[in-house]
Amino acid sequence: MNNLRYLIKRSVQAALADKSFFAGVVVTMGITIGVFLVVLTLGFYMLLKPLSYPQQDELFVVDYQRINQSGEAETSFFLYPAAEALYRNIQSAKDIGVKAQSMLFFSKEVLTSEPLQPNLATVYTTASTADILGIPMAKGQWFPPAELGQRVPGAVISYQVWAEQFSLREDILGQKLVVNGVSHPVIGVIQADFVAPQLAEVGLTTQLWLPWDFNNSEYKEDWRNVEGKLFYLIKTPAASTGQLSVVLSAMANEMFRKMTIDNQHFVGWSADIEVTPLRSKLVAGNMTTVIFLLAGGLGLLLIATSNITNLFISRVVSKHKQLAISATLGAKKKHLWLQMFSETLVLMLASSAVAVLIALLGFGLIQRFFSTQLARAHEISFDWMTLCSALLVAVVLAFIISLLSIRIVNYRQLSQSLKSSGKGVGVQISSGVRNALLVSQISVAVVLIFCSASLIKNAATTLQRHVGFDSTNVLRLEFRIATLDWQGWDTYAPKVTEFRDKLAALPEVEAVTFARSPLEDIYQFALTYSGDGKRYYPFHRNVDHNYLDVVGQRLLAGQGFALKDVQSRTNVAMVSATFAEQLGQGDITSVIGKTLAIDSIPPATIIGVVEDLVVPSKAEIPPRFYVPNGGSALWLMLKLKPGTVVTREQVTALMRDTNNQFALTNFSSLQADVDRANFTHLVTLTVAGSLAIFTLLLAFLGLFGIISYGVKSRTTEFNIKMAIGAKYNNIFNETVRENISILMIGASLGTIFIITCLYFYYDLLSVYISISSMYMYAITIVAVFAVLILSSSISMRTIKKNSIVNGLKGIAA
Amino acid sequence: MKRVTIEMNGIGKIFETDEVETHALKNVSLKVYDGDFVSLSGPSGCGKSTLLSLLGLLDTPSSGEYKVDGINVSNLVSDRAAEIRNQKFGFIFQSFNLIDELSVFDNVALPLRYSAQRFQASQVEEQVRQCLARVGIEHRMNHKPNQLSGGQQQRVAIARALISKPSVILADEPTGNLDSKSGDAVMSLLGELNDAGSTIFMVTHDSRYADFTKKKIQMIDGQIVA
Ligand SMILES: Nc1ncnc2c1ncn2[C@@H]1O[C@H](COP(=O)(O)OP(=O)(O)OP(=O)(O)O)[C@@H](O)[C@H]1O
Ligand SMILES: [Mg+2]
């Protein structure tokens, strides 16, 4: 295979001959293919990759839906007792094709037996889960089979908990863990590599497994309200799921009818069961993200490929003479293509090597920062799949690029071109091809530069926003009442207030408030404003009279809550600046004294307007309103005196002292929360921003390349003109003038594209569009123009430097 | 006494490539008078084209002095050289060097576009027609160069060399790519131009065409021998 070796050797030589071309291509394509590999892998994990459970294609999630009298699905979570009833039914029904079933109840529990009261992601589940998920044990065993309601205590912990909480102590089995007042002996430790299904919340890895019966659901006997933390798994042959859901629906419906027969509200309602593969259920929430990412990655790849193809085509154009000679010497079209393909392949393989490095970096980034946002992201790792894709992409791209480049070479004209333009001295290239390339490149560049610049600007603006509160020296704590025997809030409220007073009495503490973190938008309410009688959907916050002082949120108009508002739950409210502006149509003071009516609750009078809170993850600031809470809650914030510290131990001690059922579930500084929220946001913006900058570079690079190759391909023409007396400036101006008309055509095409996109996707894109977009557009055009002039002059400089005689001989660089 | 239009004194040209220095011209001195018809011949590689490109200010000498109409032009800045090229010299190349993109008409009109003088469209049209008529190729005005035969292309190149009414025509093997019939036609055209007053400096291999001229110069190895 001497021939092949020669081909490879020549290709490597040719690829390396032009160092800047090599570097440019490898860097651009390396980054692009790298990004593409990352999204491809992500897509593969979410859309295709089987779960790591045995016979994973037989695992299904059972969804319970209630259909109201008009046939609409009301809720898609289980009613707690309906789940248990179904479980018993399936247990006794023999031949419906269910091989195994299990229920999982996701929760967060505090280990009150440990001095630091760690807070663990917990799943209460039935014994069969181990078989269904094939849970491998590192130590001890899983729960033994038990009937529902048998209440056999016991705990299985994850390897990570064993390592982090118990330092891998050998005598872990038999240790007592107290959760909600019940003591569970540790009976097993799961192997480190087991991946628990993240059904309730992405990124939350189960740390503690407890028997089903001990879960503290508030809806155990409730046939009216659903339990959102309950999930139901079955194992069944995939072929029988259609039949199965019919059978299960019948069972569930019968039970539902029987249990709600006395309730007027549920007349005409029914229950229905749907069976969904576990795999698709796990990634359901991320489907759009993944598709968006895949489209983005593919788009980037297309843009880069078209840029690079343009470069290659320009290069072919400038090598026209060489090709013509080869053709004259008998090279067939196939030979020319093969040569071009292998040259391109060398470049693409080098790019793929860079791409693999970029992908490794990307995977690291995803696991570190995005595992709570992307389902299955924690499973992602670099494997043969990624490597094969990298190779495949390289080959496919080399194929496409070389095919496109060879297509512009008109083989039949090749041999004639030697004759036609002056006996082989300096081949001239048709301006049609050159101008078409330029126009397409400019229109792509205009679109890319405009979009990237807008994106970067948007990211920068978001990052510079002021948060609207002062998080220094603020501690945030949350606790729960760890009991399975709930006495009603009124029993606990005095104790909670007592706890608050104890905290306030600490010498380090300046002020205490019952309020959630300012970063948390949880409930959105529909309410009616008396000013215009219209309905609004602001976020709801309930706070006490100390709230504004603790978090340092400014009052912009009116007044805040007083102690009496909180004690007697007066019907007053505060609104955020954004909401006030909506309500008062720009005049925020006009809302004071008006009322907000939440359905069926007496309307609340607006007494104050407060500064907006800027939550880092939200692009836009939503409207919010504040109402007084009753002066007790399970969440508090403390403002500490400057330079003082309050420890977790101090708080736990005070808490135990007040009521031994109080369990601390969260203890963090507000600043840390802000930093964390900002950080993920920052990383997202940085990734988006760097991609945008990269696209920008790509656009410039493509433009630059195509113009300089355009100039190179015209060397002979320029030299002829100079020989007959044209000055350098004549030619330069002429070229720029020509390029400007091409710029106008290209820019108009790009602009038409942008406007079309805006027209069709206005809702999606309107966030990014503002007055500043006009500037962005102007900047884009100026930038493209600048690149045009710059690259023209840089590449024409070589013509100026070279002697005309050389240029005419076609030996100019 | 005829006026000296071109004068070279001790011109040398050295090409420096990677390691080798090529002495393409060594101590060349010559005088060309108004209305001369000079032929330059010699073996391949002796420096004929190099000398011609120096004469035409396409390149600068490494040493020596070059005067055009008594003015020293040995080391002119490129823009000034371009002006002189445009007004003083007309070029005819062995390989024609027409621009493929442009029609015959536009190729011929090109020097006028770069002239310091401004021409109106009608003037341009008239002059181009005249020149094309003079070389007998008027009927192919709207063709592209690659639609013409070699002899026709060379006639277009001559028309282009004539348009700015240069006093000196520099021709590098104008018949080199042509058959004898076309070659003869080109030579008689050059003869006519010389009769009309143009100074012509022509490189040729062909002794037949060299004999046609008034004055013959021989070069060997970068030096003028006769
Ligand atoms: N740009 C250049 N760089 C280096 N050497 C050159 C260059 N141009 C010409 N030469 C050398 O200068 C010498 C003279 O070349 P020139 O082209 O003037 O020869 P010529 O007499 O016109 O030959 P021919 O009859 O074959 O056209 C040759 O040895 C050639 O190799
Ligand atoms: Mg020569």
Side-chain angles (χ1 to χ4, degrees), chain A residues 243-295:
Chain A
Q243 175 61 27
L244 186 63
S245 53
V246 175
V247 174
L248 297 185
S249 291
M251 276 182 191
N253 195 29
E254 193 194 315
M255 190 67 63
F256 176 73
R257 290 284 179 88
K258 203 168 93 190
M259 299 311 293
T260 56
I261 195 140
D262 300 330
N263 194 326
Q264 273 309 109
H265 185 71
F266 294 113
V267 171
W269 285 43
S270 61
D272 182 48
I273 295 277
E274 263 179 41
V275 175
T276 326
L278 176 60
R279 193 168 59 74
S280 48
K281 190 79 180 180
L282 283 177
V283 297
N286 281 127
M287 252 5 205
T288 38
T289 318
V290 168
I291 288 169
F292 182 75
L293 283 176
L294 274 175

Side-chain angles (χ1 to χ4, degrees), chain A residues 809, chain B residues 44-45 47-50 94 172-173 203 205:
Chain A
K809 283 184 188 162
Chain B
S44 179
K48 304 182 294 293
S49 298
T50 307
Q94 175 181 2
D172 194 348
E173 299 189 41
V203 171
H205 270 310

Side-chain angles (χ1 to χ4, degrees), chain A residues 159-450:
Chain A
Y159 194 90
Q160 173 236 345
V161 168
W162 185 29
E164 285 172 13
Q165 303 291 339
F166 301 101
S167 329
L168 295 174
R169 55 194 277 190
E170 277 307 315
D171 59 346
I172 182 68
L173 298 182
Q175 290 296 319
K176 296 277 195 295
L177 307 183
V178 178
V179 176
N180 289 330
V182 180
S183 171
H184 296 272
V186 175
I187 59 167
V189 177
I190 299 176
Q191 282 179 18
D193 59 355
F194 174 69
V195 181
Q198 300 179 348
L199 279 165
E201 194 181 319
V202 171
L204 198 65
T205 309
T206 308
Q207 297 167 300
L208 173 66
W209 303 77
L210 293 172
W212 173 257
D213 298 321
F214 295 95
N215 76 64
N216 55 355
S217 171
E218 291 164 35
Y219 307 103
K220 286 198 172 176
E221 308 299 330
D222 195 335
W223 280 91
R224 284 170 305 168
N225 296 303
V226 294
E227 174 53 89
K229 303 174 190 163
L230 191 162
F231 293 86
Y232 199 123
L233 287 182
I234 53 169
K235 186 169 191 171
T236 183
S240 64
T241 52
Q243 175 61 27
L244 186 63
S245 53
V246 175
V247 174
L248 297 185
S249 291
M251 276 182 191
N253 195 29
E254 193 194 315
M255 190 67 63
F256 176 73
R257 290 284 179 88
K258 203 168 93 190
M259 299 311 293
T260 56
I261 195 140
D262 300 330
N263 194 326
Q264 273 309 109
H265 185 71
F266 294 113
V267 171
W269 285 43
S270 61
D272 182 48
I273 295 277
E274 263 179 41
V275 175
T276 326
L278 176 60
R279 193 168 59 74
S280 48
K281 190 79 180 180
L282 283 177
V283 297
N286 281 127
M287 252 5 205
T288 38
T289 318
V290 168
I291 288 169
F292 182 75
L293 283 176
L294 274 175
L298 200 66
L300 194 64
L301 189 67
L302 280 179
I303 291 162
T305 311
S306 71
N307 273 309
I308 295 295
T309 310
N310 256 353
L311 275 188
F312 271 87
I313 290 179
S314 325
R315 203 154 170 258
V316 170
V317 164
S318 65
K319 279 173 140 186
H320 209 257
K321 181 179 169 193
Q322 197 184 316
L323 290 173
I325 295 169
S326 310
T328 325
L329 297 178
K332 296 208 186 80
K333 190 161 187 168
K334 200 181 73 188
H335 293 138
L336 296 181
W337 176 75
L338 197 63
Q339 179 62 41
M340 211 174 287
F341 173 72
S342 53
E343 251 182 72
T344 319
L345 188 60
V346 169
L347 282 163
M348 289 303 127
L349 286 177
S351 310
S352 279
V354 174
V356 166
L357 294 181
I358 302 268
L360 281 175
L361 196 82
F363 292 152
L365 215 63
I366 286 178
Q367 291 197 332
R368 176 95 174 66
F369 302 117
F370 296 104
S371 59
T372 53
Q373 269 115 338
L374 296 168
R376 299 192 72 184
H378 58 287
E379 295 178 46
I380 288 182
S381 64
F382 188 82
D383 54 15
W384 60 268
M385 216 281 302
T386 320
L387 205 63
C388 289
S389 322
L391 287 178
L392 190 73
V393 169
V395 174
V396 169
L397 286 183
F399 187 80
I400 293 175
I401 291 175
S402 55
L403 209 64
L404 287 177
S405 323
I406 200 81
R407 280 218 26 195
I408 67 126
V409 177
N410 186 333
Y411 184 77
R412 252 178 306 147
Q413 277 180 7
L414 256 192
S415 39
Q416 284 172 16
S417 71
L418 283 180
K419 253 188 289 165
S420 67
S421 60
K423 309 304 175 217
V425 186
V427 178
Q428 301 162 32
I429 311 305
S430 97
S431 62
V433 174
R434 196 174 54 225
N435 291 346
L437 286 178
L438 256 175
V439 165
S440 69
Q441 191 65 55
I442 288 173
S443 55
V444 170
V446 165
V447 173
L448 292 186
I449 294 170
F450 178 71

Side-chain angles (χ1 to χ4, degrees), chain A residues 314-625:
Chain A
S314 325
R315 203 154 170 258
V316 170
V317 164
S318 65
K319 279 173 140 186
H320 209 257
K321 181 179 169 193
Q322 197 184 316
L323 290 173
I325 295 169
S326 310
T328 325
L329 297 178
K332 296 208 186 80
K333 190 161 187 168
K334 200 181 73 188
H335 293 138
L336 296 181
W337 176 75
L338 197 63
Q339 179 62 41
M340 211 174 287
F341 173 72
S342 53
E343 251 182 72
T344 319
L345 188 60
V346 169
L347 282 163
M348 289 303 127
L349 286 177
S351 310
S352 279
V354 174
V356 166
L357 294 181
I358 302 268
L360 281 175
L361 196 82
F363 292 152
L365 215 63
I366 286 178
Q367 291 197 332
R368 176 95 174 66
F369 302 117
F370 296 104
S371 59
T372 53
Q373 269 115 338
L374 296 168
R376 299 192 72 184
H378 58 287
E379 295 178 46
I380 288 182
S381 64
F382 188 82
D383 54 15
W384 60 268
M385 216 281 302
T386 320
L387 205 63
C388 289
S389 322
L391 287 178
L392 190 73
V393 169
V395 174
V396 169
L397 286 183
F399 187 80
I400 293 175
I401 291 175
S402 55
L403 209 64
L404 287 177
S405 323
I406 200 81
R407 280 218 26 195
I408 67 126
V409 177
N410 186 333
Y411 184 77
R412 252 178 306 147
Q413 277 180 7
L414 256 192
S415 39
Q416 284 172 16
S417 71
L418 283 180
K419 253 188 289 165
S420 67
S421 60
K423 309 304 175 217
V425 186
V427 178
Q428 301 162 32
I429 311 305
S430 97
S431 62
V433 174
R434 196 174 54 225
N435 291 346
L437 286 178
L438 256 175
V439 165
S440 69
Q441 191 65 55
I442 288 173
S443 55
V444 170
V446 165
V447 173
L448 292 186
I449 294 170
F450 178 71
C451 295
S452 324
S454 305
L455 208 70
I456 294 168
K457 164 110 200 321
N458 200 266
T461 329
T462 338
L463 278 180
Q464 282 163 4
R465 292 187 305 189
H466 171 60
V467 285
F469 58 91
D470 178 12
S471 52
T472 40
N473 288 330
V474 178
L475 278 182
R476 197 168 68 78
L477 35 127
E478 275 176 43
F479 57 105
R480 59 187 293 168
I481 298 161
T483 175
L484 292 176
D485 180 26
W486 181 253
Q487 302 291 319
W489 182 245
D490 291 344
T491 338
Y492 303 109
K495 285 285 173 191
V496 170
T497 327
E498 187 190 323
F499 174 52
R500 192 261 322 267
D501 295 340
K502 280 184 184 161
L503 285 172
L506 287 174
E508 296 89 352
V509 174
E510 204 166 273
V512 184
T513 178
F514 281 116
R516 285 184 191 275
S517 157
L519 295 173
E520 286 174 10
D521 278 320
I522 301 180
Y523 304 108
Q524 211 167 355
F525 279 30
L527 30 88
T528 312
Y529 176 56
S530 66
D532 56 13
K534 289 194 188 133
R535 280 173 84 72
Y536 293 88
Y537 300 89
F539 279 97
H540 160 273
R541 305 279 185 128
N542 78 48
V543 298
D544 67 10
H545 55 289
N546 286 326
Y547 167 77
L548 292 181
D549 292 337
V550 171
V551 299
Q553 199 176 347
R554 282 186 307 141
L555 195 64
L556 301 178
Q559 61 197 63
F561 298 145
L563 180 60
K564 71 164 178 27
D565 293 326
V566 173
Q567 277 169 346
S568 52
R569 291 206 151 200
T570 328
N571 290 314
V572 290
M574 298 187 294
V575 294
S576 69
T578 297
F579 193 27
E581 265 180 41
Q582 272 181 18
L583 296 175
Q585 275 151 19
D587 176 12
I588 63 166
T589 49
S590 71
V591 303
I592 306 236
K594 305 262 177 22
T595 65
L596 293 172
I598 305 172
D599 303 343
S600 74
I601 292 176
T605 310
I606 301 172
I607 58 167
V609 178
V610 293
E611 197 176 2
D612 273 316
L613 296 174
V614 178
V615 177
S617 58
K618 295 197 171 179
E620 275 180 299
I621 299 168
R624 299 187 179 94
F625 76 107

